[in-house]
Amino acid sequence: MKKKALSKLLALGMTAVMAAGLLTGCGDKEGDPSSAQQSTQEQKTEEQSSQEESSTAEGSEDTAKTDGEVPTLVWWTVGGTPADDFDDAIARISDYTEEKIGVRLDVNIAGWSDYESKMNNIVNTGEYFDIMFVNNTNYGKFVNLGAFENITDKVQSVTPDLYGFIPELLWSGVQVHGNVYAVPTYKDSSLTQFYYIDDNFVKKYSIDMNTVKDIASLDSIVRRVKEGEGKSFYPIKLNQGALWNGFFNQYDGLASGIQALGVRIDDQERKVVCTLEQEDILADLEILHQWYVDGIINPDANVVTEDSKGNMFGNAQGWPSAVVTWQTLQGVEKYDAVKVFGPLYTTETIQGSMNAVSVNSKYKDEALKVLELINTDPKFRDMCAYGVEGDHFEYTEDGFVKRLRDDWTWPGYTQGTFFIMSNQEGADPNQWEEVKKQNEEATASSCLGFALDVTNIQNEVSNVNTVWDKYKFDMLTGASDPATTVPKCVEELKAAGLDTIIAEAQKQIDEFFK
C-alpha cells in the first residue's frame, strides 16, 4: 500500500473524502458495553467470494495443506462474561469458517474491567495468539513493542476484497510510522455522544430532555429523581468496566492512549496540555464527586466490575436509533435519548476498533482471511454478532434478527463492519442513514490525522499509564475528592514523565502541521 499521510487526504477536502468512501455506511462506536452494537442490512445475501486460491504474497502457502491439520486461530477480544456454552457455540461457528476458508476459531473474551491488564500481560509475556482486538488505548503501544505484524502489503495481496472494502481514509487513520498493523472496523468513525433516561422517569418527573446538554445540566434532574425515589435508589450507576463514558471528549488524545494528555479539539494553536489541570475537566470531576457523596452515584461504583440492569440513566456513543440497543442491553422498555456532543472526527475515533495479527502467529495469512470473511460474508458476520442461529437467534420473515437468548457477550463493534450485519428486530431500518448524516455533519479535531509516535518515550508512557490506572476508577466514578486527589495524581504523573511526553507531543505536532 502506498504510504499516504492523512494530512494530504485532508488537504483534498474532508467532504470529498467522506463522500467517496466513509459515508457509504457507518457503524457503532465502541469501547465499552454501553456502546451500540447493532447494524442493519436491507438485503441479506449468503454469497462470499472464495478465498481458497493461494496468495502470491511471500509466505502464503496454506499451512492447513502442509501439515495435514486444520489450524485453529486464537482470537483475543473484550466483552461480558461468556455463557457456559460459549465455546460450544464457537465450535459450531468454526464449522462454517472451516468450510469457507479452512480454519477454526478459538475466541477468548477478556472482561471489560480487566481487558487492558490482560492484553498487556499477553503481549509482555509473549503468550501465543493470532488475532487481537485493539483500540486507541493500546494499539500504538503494542505496535512499538513489536507485537503485531506489519500488514501494509499483505492485506492487499492476501485479502484484496478486505482491502478494497475499507475506505482509504480508515487505512490511513490506523497507520503507525507510515505502516498498517491492524484492520480498522468500518463503521461510524466519527464520535457522537448521547445521554439517555428511562422514559418512565422522564414522565414521572416531567424531565425536559431538551435541557440536557452536558454533565452540569443533569444536576437538577438527578437530584429531583433522588429525592423522589429515596435513599436506596441511585439515579446514576457506574462500575469499573463502565466509567463516565466520553468524559474527555473535548480533548483530542492524539491516539496516545493517555487520558491525562490532549489538545482541545477546537484549539487551532494545538497546545498539548495535561487534561487534569483544565478548568472544564476539574469542574466536571467536582460534580461527579458531589453526586457520589450525595448518593446519586452508587457507592460501590469504583470497585464493582459488572454492569447492573435496568439503569435509569446511561451515556454512550452512537446514533439516535441506537437507543434500541441500549434499551435491550439494560432491559428497559424505553429510553429517551439526546445528543450532547459531536459528531467529531479524530484519529482516535478511527482507531476506536481494530483487529491486529500477531507477529508470532503461525497463520498470518489465515488470520487476515478470517478478518476478510467477517467483513464480507453476511452469514459469518451474523454468527459472530448474534451467536448460533436457532439457539441464540432466529430470522424473522422480513429478515430481521430476533434474539432467543441474552447471553451472547461478544460485542459486535469489536468484530467487523456493521454494514453487512442483519438488523435486530425493533431497530430502525433507517439507522444507517442516521449514521451517514452524522458523518456528513462531523467536524474535524484540530489535530485530525496526527498520532503520537511514542518510540522515544515508551518508558514514560508506560509509567504514566500505570499511575493513571491507580486513580481512574476512583476519579471517574466520583469516589475521590478531586480537590485532594487531582493534585496528588498530577504530581505522580509528572514524576512518571508526563511533562516529557507533553514536550515530545508538542514537538511532533508542530512538525506535522508545519
Side-chain angles (χ1 to χ4, degrees):
M1 177 173 14
K2 294 180 180 180
K3 298 179 182 178
K4 186 179 296 184
L6 189 54
S7 59
K8 293 182 179 179
L9 283 176
L10 298 176
L12 297 176
M14 283 298 295
T15 303
V17 174
M18 294 174 196
L22 189 60
L23 298 183
T24 57
C26 289
D28 143 73
K29 180 70 184 158
E30 310 84 337
D32 65 60
S34 67
S35 297
Q37 300 170 5
Q38 314 303 321
S39 77
T40 188
Q41 173 195 357
E42 293 183 359
Q43 184 174 3
K44 281 177 51 64
T45 67
E46 294 186 0
E47 291 84 20
Q48 165 64 24
S49 299
S50 173
Q51 300 297 321
E52 298 179 24
E53 59 270 9
S54 299
S55 167
T56 58
E58 180 180 353
S60 62
E61 184 176 2
D62 190 344
T63 306
K65 296 178 181 178
T66 60
D67 61 16
E69 297 181 0
V70 175
T72 297
L73 275 60
V74 177
W75 190 343
W76 269 101
T77 187
V78 65
T81 303
D84 292 340
D85 62 349
F86 179 76
D87 289 342
D88 292 335
I90 294 298
R92 295 165 69 181
I93 293 173
S94 291
D95 292 340
Y96 185 77
T97 60
E98 182 176 352
E99 172 190 342
K100 299 296 292 187
I101 56 175
V103 303
R104 300 187 68 81
L105 300 176
D106 176 11
V107 178
N108 300 275
I109 298 180
W112 296 109
S113 61
D114 60 3
Y115 162 75
E116 186 173 344
S117 60
K118 179 61 179 178
M119 298 307 106
N120 283 335
N121 185 62
I122 290 173
V123 169
N124 291 330
T125 62
E127 178 180 334
Y128 184 86
F129 69 93
D130 296 288
I131 304 172
M132 177 182 286
F133 166 77
V134 289
N135 57 29
N136 47 44
T137 67
N138 54 19
Y139 174 54
K141 174 177 65 175
F142 290 166
V143 168
N144 285 301
L145 288 174
F148 300 146
E149 177 75 0
N150 180 348
I151 61 171
T152 308
D153 298 320
K154 188 182 286 287
V155 72
Q156 293 187 69
S157 59
V158 176
T159 51
D161 288 348
L162 173 63
Y163 176 72
F165 174 69
I166 296 175
E168 178 64 27
L169 178 61
L170 272 68
W171 290 117
S172 298
V174 300
Q175 286 185 11
V176 178
H177 313 309
N179 294 311
V180 174
Y181 294 87
V183 175
T185 304
Y186 180 22
K187 53 188 184 61
D188 62 321
S189 295
S190 63
L191 182 158
T192 308
Q193 192 82 33
F194 290 85
Y195 290 174
Y196 46 94
I197 300 176
D198 188 329
D199 183 65
N200 290 323
F201 291 92
V202 171
K203 292 177 179 176
K204 182 176 181 179
Y205 293 96
S206 301
I207 297 172
D208 182 359
M209 295 298 293
N210 292 323
T211 66
V212 178
K213 306 294 184 182
D214 50 24
I215 291 177
S217 67
L218 283 171
D219 188 67
S220 61
I221 294 173
V222 295
R223 290 187 180 281
R224 191 159 75 248
V225 173
K226 176 68 177 180
E227 182 179 359
E229 296 299 313
K231 184 177 180 180
S232 62
F233 183 83
Y234 305 104
I236 297 175
K237 289 189 176 182
L238 304 173
N239 63 79
Q240 286 189 356
L243 304 175
W244 191 272
N245 188 276
F247 190 83
F248 295 97
N249 278 347
Q250 293 288 349
Y251 292 85
D252 189 324
L254 312 178
S256 66
I258 304 172
Q259 291 189 299
L261 171 149
V263 173
R264 191 167 176 87
I265 58 175
D266 57 356
D267 181 6
Q268 297 306 311
E269 294 183 358
R270 303 183 180 93
K271 181 182 179 181
V272 185
V273 299
C274 171
T275 56
L276 297 175
E277 294 181 320
Q278 306 310 301
E279 291 184 2
D280 53 348
I281 295 296
L282 290 171
D284 286 346
L285 286 173
E286 288 285 355
I287 293 174
L288 287 185
H289 177 58
Q290 198 58 54
W291 285 350
Y292 183 86
V293 171
D294 295 341
I296 289 169
I297 295 175
N298 51 305
D300 59 353
N302 59 329
V303 295
V304 69
T305 59
E306 293 293 329
D307 194 17
S308 57
K309 297 289 187 181
N311 293 344
M312 183 206 86
F313 169 84
N315 56 344
Q317 297 163 19
W319 55 93
S321 63
V323 68
V324 174
T325 299
W326 304 327
Q327 292 167 178
T328 300
L329 291 173
Q330 282 293 319
V332 171
E333 182 178 356
K334 181 184 179 183
Y335 276 129
D336 295 329
V338 60
K339 183 183 77 172
V340 296
F341 179 85
L344 175 77
Y345 274 107
T346 71
T347 304
E348 283 187 326
T349 64
I350 293 175
Q351 293 186 5
S353 174
M354 302 167 284
N355 281 283
V357 177
S358 171
V359 70
N360 296 319
S361 171
K362 296 182 291 184
Y363 310 112
K364 296 182 178 69
D365 289 6
E366 289 81 359
L368 279 176
K369 289 178 180 179
V370 169
L371 296 176
E372 181 175 58
L373 192 68
I374 203 168
N375 281 285
T376 57
D377 186 308
K379 183 175 181 178
F380 181 51
R381 187 70 193 89
D382 280 359
M383 288 178 176
C384 294
Y386 300 118
V388 177
E389 183 181 359
D391 185 0
H392 298 88
F393 76 96
E394 64 184 12
Y395 291 109
T396 64
E397 291 184 358
D398 51 1
F400 284 77
V401 163
K402 178 181 179 180
R403 288 185 180 271
L404 304 177
R405 297 167 52 175
D406 61 0
D407 58 358
W408 188 254
T409 58
W410 185 10
Y413 85 91
T414 67
Q415 303 165 353
T417 185
F418 282 10
F419 305 134
I420 62 170
M421 188 167 73
S422 294
N423 212 5
Q424 191 170 198
E425 187 180 41
D428 187 341
N430 297 316
Q431 63 178 328
W432 293 127
E433 294 303 317
E434 295 178 349
V435 177
K436 289 179 182 179
K437 181 179 179 181
Q438 283 187 175
N439 281 283
E440 290 168 352
E441 296 174 346
T443 58
S445 162
S446 61
C447 291
L448 178 62
F450 175 82
L452 181 64
D453 181 353
V454 300
T455 302
N456 298 325
I457 48 174
Q458 291 186 45
N459 289 336
E460 288 85 351
V461 170
S462 177
N463 293 337
V464 162
N465 279 328
T466 297
V467 172
W468 175 244
D469 288 344
K470 185 169 70 171
Y471 286 95
K472 65 182 181 182
F473 294 134
D474 289 342
M475 201 173 290
L476 296 184
T477 59
S480 62
D481 184 351
T484 55
T485 303
V486 170
K488 184 178 179 181
C489 177
V490 170
E491 181 181 3
E492 291 187 32
L493 287 169
K494 292 187 175 184
L498 180 60
D499 286 340
T500 300
I501 298 172
I502 289 176
E504 176 65 20
Q506 192 69 66
K507 176 184 176 182
Q508 291 183 27
I509 284 177
D510 292 344
E511 178 65 25
F512 186 86
F513 290 101
K514 184 172 61 176

